[in-house]
mmCIF file of all heavy atoms in Angstrom:
data_model
loop_
_atom_site.group_PDB
_atom_site.id
_atom_site.type_symbol
_atom_site.label_atom_id
_atom_site.label_comp_id
_atom_site.label_asym_id
_atom_site.label_seq_id
_atom_site.Cartn_x
_atom_site.Cartn_y
_atom_site.Cartn_z
ATOM 1 N N SER A 1250 128.003 115.057 164.414
ATOM 2 C CA SER A 1250 128.338 114.713 163.016
ATOM 3 C C SER A 1250 129.491 113.732 162.935
ATOM 4 O O SER A 1250 129.958 113.429 161.844
ATOM 5 C CB SER A 1250 128.628 116.026 162.205
ATOM 6 O OG SER A 1250 129.840 116.603 162.729
ATOM 7 N N THR A 1251 129.957 113.283 164.089
ATOM 8 C CA THR A 1251 131.084 112.313 164.164
ATOM 9 C C THR A 1251 130.545 111.013 164.712
ATOM 10 O O THR A 1251 130.104 110.954 165.853
ATOM 11 C CB THR A 1251 132.208 112.881 165.051
ATOM 12 O OG1 THR A 1251 132.610 114.156 164.544
ATOM 13 C CG2 THR A 1251 133.402 111.931 165.037
ATOM 14 N N PRO A 1252 130.644 109.956 163.916
ATOM 15 C CA PRO A 1252 130.131 108.640 164.407
ATOM 16 C C PRO A 1252 131.093 108.014 165.386
ATOM 17 O O PRO A 1252 132.268 108.333 165.459
ATOM 18 C CB PRO A 1252 130.063 107.797 163.122
ATOM 19 C CG PRO A 1252 131.002 108.435 162.138
ATOM 20 C CD PRO A 1252 131.077 109.891 162.521
ATOM 21 N N SER A 1253 130.540 107.188 166.231
ATOM 22 C CA SER A 1253 131.294 106.282 167.151
ATOM 23 C C SER A 1253 132.064 107.035 168.240
ATOM 24 O O SER A 1253 133.168 106.589 168.601
ATOM 25 C CB SER A 1253 132.284 105.399 166.341
ATOM 26 O OG SER A 1253 131.541 104.682 165.363
ATOM 27 N N LEU A 1254 131.542 108.099 168.762
ATOM 28 C CA LEU A 1254 132.214 108.748 169.870
ATOM 29 C C LEU A 1254 131.968 107.946 171.136
ATOM 30 O O LEU A 1254 130.925 107.242 171.278
ATOM 31 C CB LEU A 1254 131.680 110.166 170.081
ATOM 32 C CG LEU A 1254 132.009 111.144 168.951
ATOM 33 C CD1 LEU A 1254 131.378 112.487 169.210
ATOM 34 C CD2 LEU A 1254 133.522 111.286 168.749
ATOM 35 N N ASN A 1255 132.887 108.004 172.092
ATOM 36 C CA ASN A 1255 132.748 107.213 173.305
ATOM 37 C C ASN A 1255 131.674 107.832 174.216
ATOM 38 O O ASN A 1255 131.167 108.943 174.021
ATOM 39 C CB ASN A 1255 134.084 107.052 174.028
ATOM 40 C CG ASN A 1255 134.609 108.352 174.633
ATOM 41 O OD1 ASN A 1255 133.861 109.213 175.063
ATOM 42 N ND2 ASN A 1255 135.910 108.489 174.684
ATOM 43 N N ASP A 1256 131.288 107.051 175.232
ATOM 44 C CA ASP A 1256 130.247 107.456 176.195
ATOM 45 C C ASP A 1256 130.570 108.746 176.906
ATOM 46 O O ASP A 1256 129.681 109.601 177.133
ATOM 47 C CB ASP A 1256 129.970 106.343 177.158
ATOM 48 C CG ASP A 1256 129.286 105.136 176.534
ATOM 49 O OD1 ASP A 1256 128.691 105.308 175.445
ATOM 50 O OD2 ASP A 1256 129.336 104.067 177.141
ATOM 51 N N ALA A 1257 131.830 108.926 177.288
ATOM 52 C CA ALA A 1257 132.236 110.149 178.034
ATOM 53 C C ALA A 1257 132.055 111.396 177.166
ATOM 54 O O ALA A 1257 131.549 112.429 177.634
ATOM 55 C CB ALA A 1257 133.665 110.023 178.489
ATOM 56 N N THR A 1258 132.416 111.308 175.878
ATOM 57 C CA THR A 1258 132.239 112.441 174.985
ATOM 58 C C THR A 1258 130.756 112.735 174.754
ATOM 59 O O THR A 1258 130.348 113.895 174.764
ATOM 60 C CB THR A 1258 132.958 112.199 173.639
ATOM 61 O OG1 THR A 1258 134.343 111.961 173.915
ATOM 62 C CG2 THR A 1258 132.838 113.373 172.733
ATOM 63 N N MET A 1259 129.969 111.724 174.654
ATOM 64 C CA MET A 1259 128.525 111.943 174.455
ATOM 65 C C MET A 1259 127.908 112.480 175.754
ATOM 66 O O MET A 1259 126.915 113.215 175.655
ATOM 67 C CB MET A 1259 127.853 110.636 173.997
ATOM 68 C CG MET A 1259 128.296 110.203 172.566
ATOM 69 S SD MET A 1259 128.303 111.516 171.340
ATOM 70 C CE MET A 1259 126.543 111.916 171.265
ATOM 71 N N ARG A 1260 128.445 112.106 176.898
ATOM 72 C CA ARG A 1260 127.958 112.697 178.141
ATOM 73 C C ARG A 1260 128.228 114.217 178.136
ATOM 74 O O ARG A 1260 127.394 115.021 178.505
ATOM 75 C CB ARG A 1260 128.659 112.024 179.350
ATOM 76 C CG ARG A 1260 128.277 112.691 180.690
ATOM 77 C CD ARG A 1260 128.948 111.970 181.872
ATOM 78 N NE ARG A 1260 130.301 111.521 181.626
ATOM 79 C CZ ARG A 1260 131.387 112.251 181.848
ATOM 80 N NH1 ARG A 1260 131.290 113.473 182.372
ATOM 81 N NH2 ARG A 1260 132.597 111.771 181.629
ATOM 82 N N VAL A 1261 129.425 114.598 177.674
ATOM 83 C CA VAL A 1261 129.742 116.029 177.558
ATOM 84 C C VAL A 1261 128.760 116.706 176.602
ATOM 85 O O VAL A 1261 128.278 117.810 176.880
ATOM 86 C CB VAL A 1261 131.222 116.218 177.076
ATOM 87 C CG1 VAL A 1261 131.515 117.680 176.745
ATOM 88 C CG2 VAL A 1261 132.169 115.688 178.124
ATOM 89 N N ALA A 1262 128.439 116.038 175.482
ATOM 90 C CA ALA A 1262 127.487 116.633 174.566
ATOM 91 C C ALA A 1262 126.106 116.805 175.174
ATOM 92 O O ALA A 1262 125.458 117.840 174.995
ATOM 93 C CB ALA A 1262 127.404 115.724 173.284
ATOM 94 N N ARG A 1263 125.657 115.833 175.958
ATOM 95 C CA ARG A 1263 124.337 115.972 176.631
ATOM 96 C C ARG A 1263 124.352 117.083 177.631
ATOM 97 O O ARG A 1263 123.351 117.861 177.747
ATOM 98 C CB ARG A 1263 123.946 114.629 177.244
ATOM 99 C CG ARG A 1263 123.547 113.565 176.256
ATOM 100 C CD ARG A 1263 122.935 112.350 176.908
ATOM 101 N NE ARG A 1263 123.854 111.647 177.851
ATOM 102 C CZ ARG A 1263 124.776 110.800 177.471
ATOM 103 N NH1 ARG A 1263 124.909 110.464 176.198
ATOM 104 N NH2 ARG A 1263 125.534 110.225 178.354
ATOM 105 N N ILE A 1264 125.455 117.238 178.325
ATOM 106 C CA ILE A 1264 125.568 118.383 179.278
ATOM 107 C C ILE A 1264 125.502 119.699 178.508
ATOM 108 O O ILE A 1264 124.846 120.653 178.931
ATOM 109 C CB ILE A 1264 126.841 118.267 180.117
ATOM 110 C CG1 ILE A 1264 126.749 117.085 181.095
ATOM 111 C CG2 ILE A 1264 127.146 119.548 180.865
ATOM 112 C CD1 ILE A 1264 128.067 116.670 181.731
ATOM 113 N N ASP A 1265 126.195 119.770 177.351
ATOM 114 C CA ASP A 1265 126.153 120.992 176.548
ATOM 115 C C ASP A 1265 124.784 121.292 175.967
ATOM 116 O O ASP A 1265 124.403 122.416 175.836
ATOM 117 C CB ASP A 1265 127.219 120.916 175.447
ATOM 118 C CG ASP A 1265 128.595 121.367 175.879
ATOM 119 O OD1 ASP A 1265 128.775 121.599 177.065
ATOM 120 O OD2 ASP A 1265 129.470 121.526 175.006
ATOM 121 N N ILE A 1266 123.999 120.250 175.666
ATOM 122 C CA ILE A 1266 122.626 120.444 175.221
ATOM 123 C C ILE A 1266 121.833 121.173 176.311
ATOM 124 O O ILE A 1266 121.118 122.157 176.054
ATOM 125 C CB ILE A 1266 121.976 119.143 174.797
ATOM 126 C CG1 ILE A 1266 122.578 118.618 173.483
ATOM 127 C CG2 ILE A 1266 120.447 119.325 174.649
ATOM 128 C CD1 ILE A 1266 122.148 117.219 173.124
ATOM 129 N N ALA A 1267 121.956 120.633 177.529
ATOM 130 C CA ALA A 1267 121.240 121.282 178.640
ATOM 131 C C ALA A 1267 121.722 122.707 178.856
ATOM 132 O O ALA A 1267 120.936 123.626 179.052
ATOM 133 C CB ALA A 1267 121.425 120.431 179.892
ATOM 134 N N ALA A 1268 123.049 122.901 178.797
ATOM 135 C CA ALA A 1268 123.604 124.239 179.033
ATOM 136 C C ALA A 1268 123.213 125.234 177.985
ATOM 137 O O ALA A 1268 122.878 126.391 178.268
ATOM 138 C CB ALA A 1268 125.126 124.144 179.168
ATOM 139 N N ILE A 1269 123.168 124.764 176.737
ATOM 140 C CA ILE A 1269 122.785 125.690 175.612
ATOM 141 C C ILE A 1269 121.315 126.013 175.705
ATOM 142 O O ILE A 1269 120.880 127.119 175.344
ATOM 143 C CB ILE A 1269 123.223 125.131 174.256
ATOM 144 C CG1 ILE A 1269 123.499 126.293 173.285
ATOM 145 C CG2 ILE A 1269 122.201 124.166 173.683
ATOM 146 C CD1 ILE A 1269 124.264 125.931 172.058
ATOM 147 N N ALA A 1270 120.510 125.094 176.221
ATOM 148 C CA ALA A 1270 119.092 125.413 176.441
ATOM 149 C C ALA A 1270 118.923 126.455 177.510
ATOM 150 O O ALA A 1270 118.145 127.404 177.364
ATOM 151 C CB ALA A 1270 118.314 124.128 176.821
ATOM 152 N N LEU A 1271 119.702 126.365 178.597
ATOM 153 C CA LEU A 1271 119.666 127.365 179.615
ATOM 154 C C LEU A 1271 120.177 128.709 179.077
ATOM 155 O O LEU A 1271 119.625 129.801 179.396
ATOM 156 C CB LEU A 1271 120.506 126.949 180.812
ATOM 157 C CG LEU A 1271 120.051 125.727 181.576
ATOM 158 C CD1 LEU A 1271 121.024 125.370 182.682
ATOM 159 C CD2 LEU A 1271 118.655 125.949 182.144
ATOM 160 N N LEU A 1272 121.199 128.658 178.237
ATOM 161 C CA LEU A 1272 121.741 129.878 177.631
ATOM 162 C C LEU A 1272 120.698 130.533 176.699
ATOM 163 O O LEU A 1272 120.603 131.736 176.648
ATOM 164 C CB LEU A 1272 123.009 129.554 176.853
ATOM 165 C CG LEU A 1272 123.919 130.728 176.510
ATOM 166 C CD1 LEU A 1272 124.448 131.437 177.732
ATOM 167 C CD2 LEU A 1272 125.056 130.253 175.613
ATOM 168 N N ALA A 1273 119.908 129.695 176.040
ATOM 169 C CA ALA A 1273 118.836 130.214 175.176
ATOM 170 C C ALA A 1273 117.774 130.973 175.997
ATOM 171 O O ALA A 1273 117.294 132.037 175.617
ATOM 172 C CB ALA A 1273 118.224 129.111 174.369
ATOM 173 N N VAL A 1274 117.434 130.385 177.162
ATOM 174 C CA VAL A 1274 116.481 131.086 178.034
ATOM 175 C C VAL A 1274 117.069 132.427 178.475
ATOM 176 O O VAL A 1274 116.389 133.455 178.489
ATOM 177 C CB VAL A 1274 116.128 130.206 179.239
ATOM 178 C CG1 VAL A 1274 115.288 130.949 180.248
ATOM 179 C CG2 VAL A 1274 115.401 128.945 178.787
ATOM 180 N N ALA A 1275 118.357 132.417 178.848
ATOM 181 C CA ALA A 1275 119.013 133.666 179.282
ATOM 182 C C ALA A 1275 119.001 134.677 178.108
ATOM 183 O O ALA A 1275 118.769 135.858 178.314
ATOM 184 C CB ALA A 1275 120.442 133.381 179.720
ATOM 185 N N ALA A 1276 119.223 134.195 176.884
ATOM 186 C CA ALA A 1276 119.243 135.098 175.726
ATOM 187 C C ALA A 1276 117.873 135.772 175.527
ATOM 188 O O ALA A 1276 117.795 136.945 175.238
ATOM 189 C CB ALA A 1276 119.621 134.297 174.483
ATOM 190 N N VAL A 1277 116.812 134.974 175.704
ATOM 191 C CA VAL A 1277 115.423 135.522 175.593
ATOM 192 C C VAL A 1277 115.189 136.602 176.645
ATOM 193 O O VAL A 1277 114.715 137.674 176.365
ATOM 194 C CB VAL A 1277 114.402 134.406 175.648
ATOM 195 C CG1 VAL A 1277 113.004 134.965 175.803
ATOM 196 C CG2 VAL A 1277 114.481 133.510 174.416
#
């Protein structure tokens, strides 16, 4: 929801997307 974040911050976001997907599988 924040425009113009740098590439490093967006890399962290992409890692968190993968991690939250794994966490969702663990939750199931």
Side-chain angles (χ1 to χ4, degrees):
S1250 65
T1251 304
S1253 305
L1254 294 177
N1255 70 32
D1256 290 339
T1258 302
M1259 294 313 295
R1260 176 178 38 90
V1261 172
R1263 287 189 300 276
I1264 291 168
D1265 273 9
I1266 288 170
I1269 210 165
L1271 295 176
L1272 196 63
V1274 173
V1277 168

